[in-house]
Amino acid sequence: MKDGFLVMDCDRHVVEPPEIWKEYLDPEYRDRAPVHPAFCGSPAQVPGLPVLSRTGQVAARGFDNDPRWRTVYYEAMVQGFDPKSYLADMDHSGVDVAVCYTSVGLYLTYRDDMEPRLSAALCRAYNRWLSDYCSFNADRLKGVALLPMQDIDLAIAEARHAVETLGLVGFFYRPNPVGRRPADDSALEPLYATVAELGVPLCFHEGSATSLPQARAHYERSGYGQHIACHPMEQMLGLLTMCGLGAFERHPTLRAGFFESGASWLPAWLERLDRFYENKVIGAEAPAKEKPGFYFRRQGFISGEGHEELLPAMIRMYGDEVEMWASDYPHPDEIDAFPHTVEPLIEDARISRESRQRILWDNPMRCYGIEARVPAGARG
Amino acid sequence: LKDGFKVVDVDRHAVEPRDIWERYLAPEFRDRAPGWAEEGEAVVPVVAGAAMVRGGLPIARTVGPGPRDRFADAHAAGFSAAANLTDMDREGVDVAILSPTAGLYVIWGEEVAADLAVAIARAYNDWLADYCRTEAARLKGLALLPLQDPAAAAAELRRAVAELGFAGGIVRANPLPGRPLEADAYDPVYAAAAELGVPIAVAGGPGARLPEIGVESPVGLPGLPPLAPPLVRFDNPYARYAITSLFEQLGASLAFVGKAVLERHPGLKVVFLDGGATWTPWWLDRMDEHWENYVFGREAPTFRKPSDDFHLGAYLVARAHEGALPETVEALGDECLLWGSAYPRAELAEFPNEVESFVARADLPDLVKRRMLWDNPARVFGLEG
């Protein structure tokens, strides 16, 4: 609790210990166990494959390479970000429930040259570890699974396993195409159907160093410009795919969230998609029956940061049931705010207290399909 | 004049006639003159055997003149200057700042040699100057700038402003391959614009023979060749139009604001023509956060925060309907906001009631509307009256 608000952090990152791969991989893949330093958020070495990193950022040393990061996250770092220290930092920020996303998995299996079965084995190992990690306090820690996107049948099998056996609550989902599939490739349809049936969301999340095709990367020479542009553009492309090209229409119970790029791009983008949908010429071949905004309101969620300049406009245009809040702990995006990450939203008097509570609790609960109850560990 | 408001439309397109190259291209380039290809009801320019609008009919239809039923009179008149003025009167537009139609495609590709691009741009500008002479006080041209040869582009801008009375220059938002808009190579162009006191307008539209967001390759490591050819991630024309019209403006503003073009060229003004205005508070916030950030900020090339650099000379062209305009005015002030229609592109759905619907908005004060419709564009483009 923070100032009387229940708080769910809808996009927080775990930091994987390097030794988990040998422990959790199926025996026949142990010799392919990734090799990476502690606190790794970069492309890591997988034996037998070259390191791929569009930005050149590689895992020579983890986040702890930077003295500022070491200082800010010191207490959890010296404990290896174990669940206990992780929960302690949640308490520092007033976070009751955290949805845990990967760090090293942002890149690990997202490449076109990985054998599908190796990808599936790595995802399975990660998902097992994450499930164990979250079981330390299952009411407060919720995990988001990795899927081996090189092969849709394997991805479907892992999706079922992750939810039905491991209890994970969503699927990390890159907007960047794997295997040169265009955004509206019909090969993805069975996966969408399975995800809808399982009742958990697709969690659109980008990472800048990927080798996969990436928005605007071909114009860019700096990591600065690339990180500014690729995260939100990829989110916007994901929203277009779901809401504008028929995926939500064909799968009316499928949910998707759009993460880690702020939320204030929504008014300009969704309004544009709706306007062009209605335009007789530009929208002539828009495939869906309704405007993108219709599907977004019905099936979409978007995560914002503490202060979103256009939040009042978003609520006026799209209501207060689609927005969520996220910290991105302990990645570089958050560092200047930690541990006071949620305060700017809690103190945002431009919107009603009721709307703030929805953003912090009710909406992410609905997005992830989590039963809305206050966890025993929440601080009063 | 509309309901007492004087109106400048800063995003209005002149439509080039079929015989423009025969009449205006320098004789020594006539054997390399662009041609035209019919694509259904659209016509696209052809250079060196290549159609300069990619993506087939649907894309061509969205970027060319809009539906015949809506612009029937202008269609019938071949989109003459007189027809444009008549439609300006119907809309209540006093002054138009004119962008090209075919000109946003015909020189923009590697197929077009630099000397030919310079000659085509010169021909286009001479044609547009004659077009504007129909009523010089109401029709103001933007000079097409052939960025393949920055020195020649700077010279053409000087000529167009000094001799043709133009109000600024225009370039595409998606840059020539390998040379982003922040490249030092373009300094002569930006320096000329700053010195002349005229803005550079940045325009988009999908399907040019240039790199485009949403068409990308996998890349293994920086500096190495891509792992595979570019993938067209979205081929639906609706998706392509939506992506290009906004994303290329995000990219261009990142170049001018985030990559220090405005900082390097005091006095330079830049106008982002497509994409509306309400993306900007969020985008500037995002740039600022990276500028401040302990990791990303190390590479930030600007001395000031991007949101401060923005106010050195960046301008946005709002559309009448944008829902988040009140918050945008609150965040950025009202001095950077202009209004434009995109006439006669397909995008302009409400013709001839676009100005009327903007003036009728109850959520913006009249003072803000007055500034957006007249005071700001008059200042930016050096209009009198």
Side-chain angles (χ1 to χ4, degrees):
Chain A
M1 298 275 280
K2 186 82 187 171
D3 301 337
F5 287 91
L6 286 162
V7 176
M8 182 158 167
D9 185 349
C10 73
D11 172 20
R12 205 169 172 95
H13 291 270
V14 290
V15 186
E16 299 88 348
E19 57 274 12
I20 66 171
W21 303 106
K22 292 242 185 262
E23 191 182 340
Y24 283 89
L25 266 170
D26 286 333
E28 65 266 37
Y29 288 102
R30 294 261 161 95
D31 62 336
R32 309 296 302 273
V35 179
H36 60 80
F39 320 121
C40 176
S42 308
Q45 177 82 52
V46 178
L49 290 170
V51 173
L52 302 181
S53 172
R54 175 184 294 279
T55 61
Q57 174 202 352
V58 292
R61 191 173 170 188
F63 292 123
D64 60 315
N65 193 37
D66 192 282
R68 182 156 156 68
W69 189 89
R70 292 200 298 267
T71 309
V72 169
Y73 299 112
Y74 187 76
E75 288 172 39
M77 182 186 72
V78 296
Q79 301 301 326
F81 286 87
D82 66 2
K84 191 164 172 245
S85 63
Y86 199 81
L87 286 159
D89 271 354
M90 286 165 60
D91 289 339
H92 287 147
S93 290
V95 171
D96 299 298
V97 175
V99 181
C100 301
Y101 284 67
T102 182
S103 286
V104 75
L106 289 173
Y107 305 109
L108 195 65
T109 58
Y110 287 91
R111 49 193 301 164
D112 286 340
D113 62 351
M114 182 175 275
E115 314 95 279
R117 296 206 167 273
L118 173 60
S119 179
L122 290 167
C123 293
R124 174 64 58 96
Y126 172 81
N127 294 337
R128 284 174 182 149
W129 169 78
L130 182 64
S131 177
D132 282 355
Y133 186 93
C134 292
S135 70
F136 184 82
N137 186 335
D139 282 341
R140 298 188 65 192
L141 299 174
K142 310 286 182 184
V144 165
L146 295 179
L147 298 179
M149 292 301 294
Q150 288 81 357
D151 183 308
I152 298 304
D153 290 335
L154 292 175
I156 287 171
E158 187 55 32
R160 289 198 181 285
H161 181 76
V163 173
E164 292 170 350
T165 306
L166 300 176
L168 301 178
V169 300
F171 302 115
F172 177 84
Y173 197 73
R174 270 190 169 276
N176 323 74
V178 179
R180 296 184 74 75
R181 294 183 198 107
D184 52 359
D185 193 332
S186 59
L188 295 163
E189 289 296 308
L191 177 63
Y192 293 155
T194 302
V195 173
E197 180 202 325
L198 292 169
V200 301
L202 283 179
C203 304
F204 282 82
H205 195 300
E206 173 66 355
S208 62
T210 187
S211 72
L212 297 173
Q214 183 180 52
R216 201 174 178 271
H218 51 319
Y219 297 3
E220 204 42 76
R221 290 168 184 174
S222 75
Y224 175 66
Q226 184 55 8
H227 194 273
I228 288 171
C230 75
H231 270 272
M233 286 183 180
E234 289 293 342
Q235 294 300 315
M236 293 156 90
L237 295 177
L239 186 144
L240 166 61
T241 304
M242 292 291 110
C243 301
L245 298 182
F248 275 170
E249 180 188 22
R250 291 187 297 274
H251 305 278
T253 60
L254 176 63
R255 298 192 304 277
F258 300 92
F259 296 92
E260 203 180 313
S261 308
S264 290
W265 50 266
L266 188 77
W269 182 234
L270 197 45
E271 181 179 68
R272 174 164 298 262
L273 294 179
D274 281 355
R275 291 280 297 187
F276 288 168
Y277 176 90
E278 291 173 317
N279 186 291
K280 276 193 289 184
V281 179
I282 299 168
E285 294 180 47
K289 285 200 187 70
E290 303 281 349
K291 288 193 287 189
F294 168 84
Y295 299 107
F296 184 77
R297 280 190 198 87
R298 191 175 75 181
Q299 293 162 258
F301 295 87
I302 184 167
S303 88
E305 292 156 14
H307 182 78
E308 292 283 342
E309 198 116 47
L310 298 187
L311 189 52
M314 289 172 58
I315 290 175
R316 187 171 67 243
M317 294 164 76
Y318 301 107
D320 67 356
E321 299 195 337
V322 296
E323 301 88 355
M324 307 181 291
W325 169 82
S327 72
D328 202 34
Y329 170 97
H331 284 187
D333 286 19
E334 186 208 26
I335 196 164
D336 296 318
F338 179 80
H340 306 291
T341 326
V342 72
E343 275 90 330
L345 175 57
I346 282 180
E347 292 160 8
D348 192 343
R350 300 173 302 165
I351 55 172
S352 73
R353 190 177 171 88
E354 186 187 25
S355 290
R356 280 175 268 166
Q357 184 62 84
R358 284 194 175 141
I359 294 167
L360 286 166
W361 188 258
D362 306 63
N363 298 344
M365 282 284 173
R366 233 177 34 263
C367 173
Y368 289 106
I370 297 170
E371 190 188 338
R373 66 193 168 94
V374 181
R379 301 196 316 172
Chain B
L1 210 64
K2 191 78 183 180
D3 300 336
F5 289 89
K6 286 179 79 173
V7 177
V8 183
D9 182 351
V10 306
D11 184 17
R12 212 166 172 91
H13 294 265
V15 182
E16 302 86 344
R18 295 284 286 264
D19 61 357
I20 179 173
W21 313 121
E22 291 151 39
R23 289 162 55 204
Y24 288 90
L25 193 65
E28 61 269 35
F29 288 95
R30 290 281 160 83
D31 57 335
R32 298 158 69 193
W36 302 92
E38 306 273 350
E39 291 204 14
E41 55 184 37
V43 180
V44 302
V46 177
V47 176
M52 299 304 291
V53 182
R54 285 195 288 208
L57 166 67
I59 291 290
R61 201 172 59 219
T62 58
V63 299
R68 285 177 187 278
D69 56 345
R70 196 132 34 83
F71 306 115
D73 297 345
H75 263 287
F79 288 97
S80 66
N84 195 347
L85 286 160
T86 302
D87 278 348
M88 285 164 64
D89 289 338
R90 291 170 69 189
E91 183 77 79
V93 171
D94 298 286
V95 176
I97 309 292
L98 295 165
S99 294
T101 298
L104 289 177
Y105 292 88
V106 65
I107 63 169
W108 301 102
E110 287 180 300
E111 294 81 0
V112 187
D115 65 332
L116 180 60
V118 172
I120 292 172
R122 210 178 153 89
Y124 167 83
N125 293 333
D126 285 338
W127 166 77
L128 184 63
D130 283 345
Y131 180 104
C132 292
R133 284 186 190 104
T134 307
E135 192 169 349
R138 297 183 66 194
L139 301 173
K140 303 287 181 185
L142 295 175
L144 185 60
L145 301 179
L147 289 185
Q148 288 89 341
D149 182 343
E156 183 61 7
L157 180 62
R158 290 179 194 282
R159 182 183 81 92
V161 172
E163 296 175 23
L164 307 179
F166 280 18
I170 189 164
V171 300
R172 275 200 74 99
N174 39 347
L176 295 166
R179 204 154 70 185
L181 287 173
E182 70 269 24
D184 294 344
Y186 297 137
D187 278 351
V189 181
Y190 301 144
E195 188 194 320
L196 294 163
V198 298
I200 299 289
V202 179
R209 297 186 77 87
L210 292 175
E212 194 170 294
I213 298 170
V215 184
E216 285 104 10
S217 289
V219 171
L221 284 170
L224 296 183
L227 297 171
L231 170 70
V232 178
R233 298 169 60 184
F234 296 82
D235 62 0
N236 182 287
Y238 159 72
R240 287 286 292 279
Y241 196 100
I243 293 165
T244 311
S245 62
L246 179 58
F247 286 31
E248 301 294 349
Q249 297 294 325
L250 297 176
S253 64
L254 177 56
F256 277 91
V257 176
K259 301 288 188 70
V261 174
L262 288 174
E263 215 170 70
R264 289 205 312 267
H265 297 281
L268 179 62
K269 295 178 281 192
V270 59
V271 178
F272 302 110
L273 285 180
D274 305 305
T278 50
W279 50 271
T280 319
W282 154 73
W283 190 236
L284 294 175
D285 259 5
R286 185 161 178 88
M287 284 195 245
D288 279 1
E289 281 171 15
H290 284 72
W291 184 92
E292 292 162 359
N293 187 270
Y294 81 117
V295 174
F296 307 114
R298 287 177 200 147
E299 288 182 279
T302 63
F303 173 69
R304 283 175 294 258
K305 286 187 191 185
S307 61
D308 286 338
D309 271 9
F310 176 85
H311 290 289
L312 292 175
Y315 297 88
L316 304 161
V317 182
R319 298 291 188 229
H321 63 268
E322 287 186 87
L325 265 181
E327 285 82 1
T328 302
V329 170
E330 196 182 317
L332 304 177
D334 60 10
E335 301 212 335
C336 60
L337 297 172
L338 316 171
W339 170 81
S341 73
Y343 174 95
R345 282 198 183 186
E347 187 177 332
L348 174 58
E350 292 180 19
F351 174 80
N353 303 313
E354 178 89 358
V355 177
E356 190 175 326
S357 68
F358 180 68
V359 168
R361 282 182 71 146
D363 58 350
L364 292 171
D366 280 355
L367 178 64
V368 170
K369 294 174 194 163
R370 203 173 302 284
R371 286 185 172 154
M372 290 174 65
L373 290 172
W374 184 266
D375 298 356
N376 297 339
R379 195 176 68 251
V380 173
F381 291 98
L383 308 178
E384 288 163 13

